[in-house]
Amino acid sequence: MSSRYPLFVKRDIDGFFGLFIDNIVQLLLILGLCAGLCGMSGEHSNLLFQYIFPGAAASILIGNIFYAWQAHRLARRTGRDDITALPYGINTPSLLVYVFFVMLPVYLETQDPVAAWRMGLIACLGSGVIELIGAIFAGAIRRYTPRAALLSTLAGIAIGFIAMTFTLQIFFKPLIAMPPLGVLLLALFARARFPLGLPGGLVAVLIGTATAWLLTLGAGYFPQAPQWLASNVMSTAAVSEQFERVGLYLPVFVGGEIVETLKDWSNWLGYLSVIIPMGLFNIIGSMQNIESAEAGGDSFHTGSSMAINGIGTIVAALFGSCFPTTIYIGHPGWKELGARAGYSTLNGIVITVLCFSGLIGLASAVVPIEAGVAIVLWIGIIITAQAFQATPNEHAPAVAMGLFPAIAAWGATVMSGAFLVSGGTTIQAVLDGNAAAEVNGFLIEGLLTLERGYIFTCMILSAVAANLIDRRYFASSLWAAVAAVLTLLGLMHAYQLQGNVLDYWLISQVPPESARSFPATGIAIGYAAIALVCLLAAVWHRRDDGVDSSHSTASEDAPPTDNIHE
């Protein structure tokens, strides 16, 4: 390891809290969803504490240690001391999709939490295999994809699913979350120093935790605490309850259960319509995050980075976890925090200790999530800023174009959730009555079609725009043609809707008669028309000897010059 590159620096503490909060949120989400929806409570809670959490921890530890080592390796090769390791943890989209569209249907059909868990293992294993295979091709895809197309997708996700999500949490529990927010604004925007040289992230979490428990103590003096106070207090009962979970939970190899489940292919074949799209989305997402790291100054090898991503997910499945792990969005945010490699190592060790000891629930009962969400909000802000700062100025419109599908996907997610909790009319009933129905002026069908496969849509629209800005007409035509094919296959825009449950519609599927299906054939034809227009422009451009070649930043046949890798 480089003598100039230490194992740990002080600002790694800030980075650790940001990554730890992100990971702990995913683990608590697993706890709530699996126990509440898939029957993994009471006598079946052992599925969570003996299998899922230890398996997830094994995966998280392997990935975090590898990416920390990778950062040291890059530091040694380049002689730099400012390398930031790639962040890594549980994949949130896959978590939600696998619970709602794989595990929950199995549980509802069988009323058996073990059967739901085993099918989740198959989904996780399939995702890992797809990601491992994808590592072979990801480098080539990156070389021919404009940076604007890769970063704009992350910015759109950062605006809706990271920054907005955590902003809402801050203003829901302001007494706990806003003091830490003030501390983080001082530390990260004003670069203010704190007493004893303490990192801003640590100070923020300590203040948020202390505030929460002081409010809890103060609320005890009120016969009936006012709402603004009651919503910000902690639960002493939850702390006592979680103490009962403490114990030793080491990973258990479950390859036998996986083999037994795979033997009966009729049980899992139908779920490939969920597993394959999620595996492909995870490949694209990881590739975009590696590009984001390079835009921030740290150029990691694409193949090895994505291979360990797939291996980590496979390990998770083999040791009992149903949920893929992935390279996280947000490398530039952690780099701005001043984190290096130590934050990754520390996160892997702490998460492992919590999962192996059953302390996950206790940690969440003692330290409020709101105490650390400001760090994650900061990361969302930096990701969004990077999309514009790290691309050529003339590609700014292409970045902006790529934001819209992700923002629409966030809107569709919020809308779907609102319908689910309303207990009244379903989205399907609204659209069956009027396909042009709107919510406050926004077309419901439009939100749903943009939500399906939005990672592909963001990247492709931005790539078309960036290539047109560079007058690379033929490249734009190819990207539009890819969009047409993916849409016809059902990986973009197509969906089936049953009540309020939105699912993919693949070309190989026959949707249930009770479902509302949207194969998106018209959108596929529209993309084909764009491809044809761009192709005609390419032909005309080659015939036009009077074109001002100084406008183009890249030749028609060469890869984009703003996106050179490895």
Side-chain angles (χ1 to χ4, degrees), residues 178-502:
M178 293 190 80
L181 174 62
V183 169
L184 261 298
L185 292 177
L186 282 172
L188 300 176
F189 283 100
R191 305 289 183 182
R193 293 181 175 273
F194 292 92
L196 304 178
L198 292 174
L202 176 60
V203 174
V205 172
L206 291 176
I207 288 177
T209 303
T211 302
W213 286 105
L214 287 173
L215 290 171
T216 302
L217 180 65
Y221 291 99
F222 289 90
Q224 186 173 0
Q227 178 60 34
W228 59 265
L229 177 58
S231 63
N232 286 271
V233 300
M234 303 292 287
S235 171
T236 54
V239 175
S240 300
E241 180 184 345
Q242 293 302 328
F243 264 117
E244 300 177 5
R245 297 286 188 189
V246 178
L248 183 62
Y249 304 97
L250 297 178
V252 178
F253 182 73
V254 295
E257 284 84 350
I258 292 175
V259 171
E260 285 299 315
T261 307
L262 286 173
K263 284 181 179 178
D264 189 355
W265 59 268
S266 62
N267 283 336
W268 54 265
L269 189 63
Y271 291 106
L272 289 180
S273 64
V274 177
I275 298 169
I276 292 175
M278 289 311 303
L280 294 176
F281 293 161
N282 294 342
I283 290 173
I284 297 298
S286 297
M287 186 174 67
Q288 291 164 339
N289 290 326
I290 296 170
E291 178 68 25
S292 176
E294 181 167 304
D298 297 339
S299 182
F300 297 107
H301 186 267
T302 304
S304 59
S305 298
M306 295 187 65
I308 201 66
N309 198 7
I311 291 170
T313 296
I314 292 172
V315 168
L318 292 177
F319 286 92
S321 174
C322 308
F323 307 106
T325 42
T326 190
I327 301 169
Y328 265 4
I329 183 174
H331 173 276
W334 274 283
K335 193 169 187 68
E336 283 288 324
L337 285 171
R340 297 297 176 246
Y343 88 103
S344 181
T345 305
L346 184 59
N347 177 75
I349 293 172
V350 171
I351 289 293
T352 299
V353 169
L354 292 178
C355 288
F356 286 6
S357 62
L359 287 169
I360 287 292
L362 182 61
S364 66
V366 173
V367 180
I369 292 296
E370 294 78 14
V373 296
I375 302 175
V376 188
L377 171 61
W378 158 264
I379 290 167
I381 293 170
I382 294 301
I383 295 167
T384 306
Q386 186 205 46
F388 291 94
Q389 294 170 344
T391 54
N393 290 337
E394 62 270 20
H395 284 183
V399 173
M401 189 169 187
L403 299 177
F404 302 137
I407 295 173
W410 177 79
T413 302
V414 173
M415 178 192 66
S416 298
F419 271 91
L420 279 169
V421 301
S422 69
T425 304
T426 65
I427 302 176
Q428 182 182 355
V430 172
L431 289 177
D432 284 343
N434 177 16
E438 298 178 349
V439 176
N440 289 338
F442 294 94
L443 283 166
I444 294 177
E445 186 123 275
L447 287 174
L448 299 183
T449 56
L450 279 177
E451 192 275 342
R452 293 291 84 180
Y454 69 89
I455 290 180
F456 288 140
T457 310
C458 289
M459 186 172 74
I460 290 173
L461 289 179
S462 184
V464 169
N467 279 298
L468 287 177
I469 289 170
D470 292 340
R471 291 190 177 179
R472 293 169 47 83
Y473 302 111
F474 185 69
S476 296
S477 179
L478 287 177
W479 279 106
V482 168
V485 172
L486 292 179
T487 303
L488 278 176
L489 293 175
L491 293 171
M492 290 168 55
H493 305 300
Y495 69 83
Q496 55 177 302
L497 179 66
Q498 288 185 287
N500 290 318
V501 179
L502 188 67

